Amino acid sequence: MTTPDPAAAGRRRADQFLTLLAAEDGAAGDLLDALDEVRDLVFLGAGLTAVARAEARFLPPAQRAQANTRQLRLGVLRDANRTNPEGLRTWLRRAGEEILLIRSQQAIADRVWAEDQARTDTRAAAEASGTTAASSTATST
């Protein structure tokens, strides 16, 4: 019989935790309360950290830098509560909230990019059809 991989279990719990946290019904807290072992809490945190770092890579540069700073602060919180399960639960809640923030920032960045792309496409189509000047530069004779 093989023993379950704690890292894989942590990743699965991280996905489950994020789903519950996004639902905002209190079930995420119940999941954390059900974990008594520091080891289980830490592996859940490792899964959350991996998700946060992977998703932050796709943010615009300024938001990515801010996310990196927040990750460092979360690491300090984790280290300060290394053997304290209740402190680790606080770290996990904040880590989950960080991922939700990253996802909302990415949604905003995607929406802004789509709007910019639509304006660019509209202008290119107008210029191609001749309904607008190809250049907005003033001319003089």
Side-chain angles (χ1 to χ4, degrees):
M1 181 172 154
T2 61
T3 59
D5 177 18
R11 286 189 297 273
R12 279 192 304 277
R13 276 196 191 112
D15 290 337
Q16 180 184 14
F17 178 69
L18 290 171
T19 300
L20 295 172
L21 191 62
E24 297 181 0
D25 63 2
D30 295 340
L31 180 116
L32 291 180
D33 292 340
L35 299 175
D36 295 327
E37 297 288 326
V38 168
R39 179 181 180 190
D40 293 334
L41 294 167
V42 170
F43 276 111
L44 169 57
L48 292 174
T49 300
V51 170
R53 291 195 181 274
E55 293 189 13
R57 286 186 193 114
F58 298 101
L59 289 172
Q63 286 82 12
R64 186 172 55 242
Q66 292 169 349
N68 287 337
T69 299
R70 289 190 303 269
Q71 281 296 314
L72 291 173
R73 290 183 180 148
L74 284 169
V76 170
L77 178 62
R78 177 203 59 222
D79 292 345
N81 292 287
R82 188 174 303 269
T83 59
N84 176 3
E86 197 53 44
L88 289 173
R89 287 184 187 95
T90 299
W91 163 59
L92 292 169
R93 282 184 197 92
R94 290 185 185 170
E97 291 166 356
E98 168 65 15
I99 293 168
L100 297 181
L101 175 63
I102 289 169
R103 289 177 178 175
S104 71
Q105 288 178 323
Q106 186 61 53
I108 292 167
D110 290 346
R111 190 171 58 245
V112 168
W113 182 86
E115 290 169 0
D116 286 349
Q117 190 63 41
R119 278 193 296 276
T120 300
D121 292 347
T122 301
R123 181 174 173 136
E127 288 177 357
S129 68
T131 59
T132 185
S135 172
S136 60
T137 313
T139 58
S140 63
T141 54

